[in-house]
Amino acid sequence: MTQVRPMRADARRNYERLLKVAAEAFAEHGEGASLDDIAKRAGVGSGTLYRHFPTRQALLEAAYVDRIEALAVRADELGAELPPGEALVEWLNELCVGTIQVRGMKALLGSAVTDGSAAAVTACGTNMKEAAARLVEAAQREGTLRADIEPIDVLRLAHGVATASELAKGDRSAIRRYVSLLTEGLRPAR
Amino acid sequence: MTQVRPMRADARRNYERLLKVAAEAFAEHGEGASLDDIAKRAGVGSGTLYRHFPTRQALLEAAYVDRIEALAVRADELGAELPPGEALVEWLNELCVGTIQVRGMKALLGSAVTDGSAAAVTACGTNMKEAAARLVEAAQREGTLRADIEPIDVLRLAHGVATASELAKGDRSAIRRYVSLLTEGLRPAR
DNA sequence: CACTAAGCGGGGACTGTCTCCGTTTAGTGT
DNA sequence: ACACTAAACGGAGACAGTCCCCGCTTAGTG
């Protein structure tokens, strides 16, 4: 086993400050926020930032792990409370809405879901995929979800809906319509 | 009337070289291709590029006008050949596929469809929106399209589908499934 | 309290965007 | 042919961002 010696106190301090500042920065400027600027605002050198988080993706993910994790948990809650079809619909709703409300999270969801070679196979992304898989499979067994849809498709489509909704900045109702369209489309052919 | 004096010969030459090179560059490196590099490859200074095309958007659009225009024309062709519902479905199919095949066109479609204040109200984007509107309205009159969908929604959703498909680089069949899901979702509630 | 490796941080190389302005040249009138 | 001028050129350079390297600092240990 990899003997993980605990982080030095200063390292831990910086790590946490960076996360806090990063979350603010992403919220304020979107996923493109300047990394050097985040480092500066956290009062550390850029070297420190890049050592802790080698890529923008890594930082983005670290800043939002809790939300992703919460979403994965939520999937199982809904799965326990509702019939599979409804659980999936409701979860997709929360997923899309959440993704849009938190600037920067859309980018994260997107990258977690590519199958490009260098895809960041992030731990929490995996959680999410597994949670989605459980909902999808249950709904398919029940017959309320098209059979030709894979779990990963659902996540990609959620990303697509979030993207479409973003284009409709001015129209607050768009997201509701787009999510409903997605869930309608997911039902088996008549 | 704005008396448009014809471009000077050298200006026209450069304009055309730039377009040609830009199309290649976008195809090769995606929408993010370096503009200075395009200028260099076209054998002109960057000043010349920026004078002809003040923004990346402008260049992108100029490089793809013909395709956008063709798509608008195609909408009317389909509208004349097929019953409205089918025409819309078929057009969406061609739109999504075309958008994905041509790197950089997705970005263009996206920007043509935002209603943010500074939206580039591009001439050819308008053509496209009008073409879409004709198909959408016909299909709604016929009753084969949900009544709560606006023409612009259809374009945004196409952009969303293209985005989702892009995430599935490895999976050639994804796009078909996603488009079919979109068209299913667009049908009126049962 | 001294030692050492973990950690820091900012200077600097590099890439890209976009503007400014001195220089060049196409088109025109003579 | 030639001179003139407005149009167009082009590249230097200011600026912003990313990311690495390596000499310096400091937390944790015996």
Side-chain angles (χ1 to χ4, degrees):
Chain A
M1 282 285 90
T2 21
Q3 165 67 317
V4 211
R5 90 177 56 191
M7 254 182 181
R8 237 171 69 169
D10 52 350
R12 162 172 230 84
R13 232 186 354 261
N14 287 332
Y15 184 91
E16 254 139 38
R17 294 217 55 193
L18 280 170
L19 274 191
K20 190 162 153 286
V21 172
E24 287 166 19
F26 287 135
E28 189 172 346
H29 302 110
E31 49 179 303
S34 158
L35 296 185
D36 274 28
D37 190 58
I38 290 177
K40 199 157 291 171
R41 281 212 255 167
V44 306
S46 45
T48 301
L49 186 153
Y50 285 101
R51 191 161 352 89
H52 285 302
F53 310 100
T55 65
R56 179 182 296 275
Q57 258 348 289
L59 180 54
L60 216 37
E61 179 178 3
Y64 292 134
V65 232
D66 45 351
R67 286 176 197 274
I68 299 269
E69 221 110 82
L71 237 17
V73 169
R74 189 76 183 121
D76 289 332
E77 280 176 22
L78 289 168
E81 285 171 19
L82 298 173
E86 285 171 46
L88 180 60
V89 167
E90 179 52 27
W91 186 65
L92 274 177
N93 204 47
E94 293 182 15
L95 174 60
C96 291
V97 171
T99 299
I100 287 169
Q101 276 170 353
V102 182
R103 287 188 80 175
M105 219 173 99
K106 205 200 75 189
L108 182 55
L109 174 60
S111 75
V113 144
T114 344
D115 63 11
S117 46
V121 187
T122 61
C124 75
T126 307
N127 276 355
M128 178 104 136
K129 280 179 223 165
E130 286 168 1
R134 285 191 287 275
L135 284 182
V136 164
E137 278 151 25
Q140 280 173 338
R141 248 179 276 119
E142 188 197 37
T144 45
L145 173 63
R146 288 168 62 142
D148 62 346
I149 292 294
E150 312 261 331
I152 190 96
D153 288 332
V154 164
L155 296 177
R156 290 188 194 129
L157 288 162
H159 180 87
V161 164
T163 304
S165 305
E166 239 173 27
L167 295 177
K169 290 202 226 2
D171 183 353
R172 314 297 338 260
S173 75
I175 177 164
R176 250 183 294 123
R177 272 177 296 148
Y178 299 165
V179 173
S180 100
L181 193 142
L182 170 60
T183 55
E184 282 299 314
L186 285 171
R187 299 167 71 166
R190 318 162 211 208
Chain B
M1 283 280 92
T2 22
Q3 165 66 315
V4 210
R5 89 177 57 190
M7 255 183 180
R8 239 171 67 169
D10 52 350
R12 162 173 231 85
R13 234 187 352 262
N14 286 332
Y15 183 91
E16 254 138 38
R17 295 217 55 193
L18 279 169
L19 274 192
K20 189 162 153 287
V21 173
E24 288 166 20
F26 287 136
E28 189 172 345
H29 301 111
E31 48 177 304
S34 156
L35 297 185
D36 273 28
D37 190 59
I38 290 177
K40 199 157 292 172
R41 281 212 257 168
V44 306
S46 44
T48 300
L49 186 153
Y50 286 101
R51 193 164 346 92
H52 283 304
F53 310 100
T55 65
R56 179 182 296 274
Q57 257 350 286
L59 180 56
L60 216 37
E61 177 177 6
Y64 293 134
V65 232
D66 46 350
R67 286 175 195 274
I68 298 270
E69 221 110 81
L71 237 16
V73 169
R74 189 76 183 120
D76 290 331
E77 280 175 25
L78 289 169
E81 285 170 20
L82 299 173
E86 286 172 45
L88 180 60
V89 166
E90 180 52 27
W91 186 65
L92 275 178
N93 205 47
E94 293 183 15
L95 174 59
C96 291
V97 170
T99 300
I100 286 169
Q101 275 170 353
V102 183
R103 286 188 81 178
M105 218 173 100
K106 206 199 76 188
L108 183 54
L109 173 60
S111 75
V113 144
T114 343
D115 61 13
S117 46
V121 187
T122 62
C124 75
T126 307
N127 276 356
M128 178 104 136
K129 279 180 224 167
E130 286 168 1
R134 284 190 288 276
L135 284 182
V136 163
E137 277 152 24
Q140 280 173 338
R141 246 178 277 119
E142 187 197 36
T144 44
L145 173 63
R146 286 168 62 143
D148 63 346
I149 293 292
E150 312 261 331
I152 190 95
D153 288 332
V154 164
L155 296 177
R156 289 189 193 129
L157 288 162
H159 179 87
V161 164
T163 304
S165 305
E166 240 173 26
L167 295 177
K169 289 203 231 350
D171 181 355
R172 313 297 337 261
S173 75
I175 177 164
R176 250 182 296 121
R177 274 177 295 145
Y178 299 166
V179 173
S180 99
L181 193 142
L182 170 60
T183 55
E184 283 297 315
L186 285 171
R187 299 168 71 167
R190 312 162 219 214

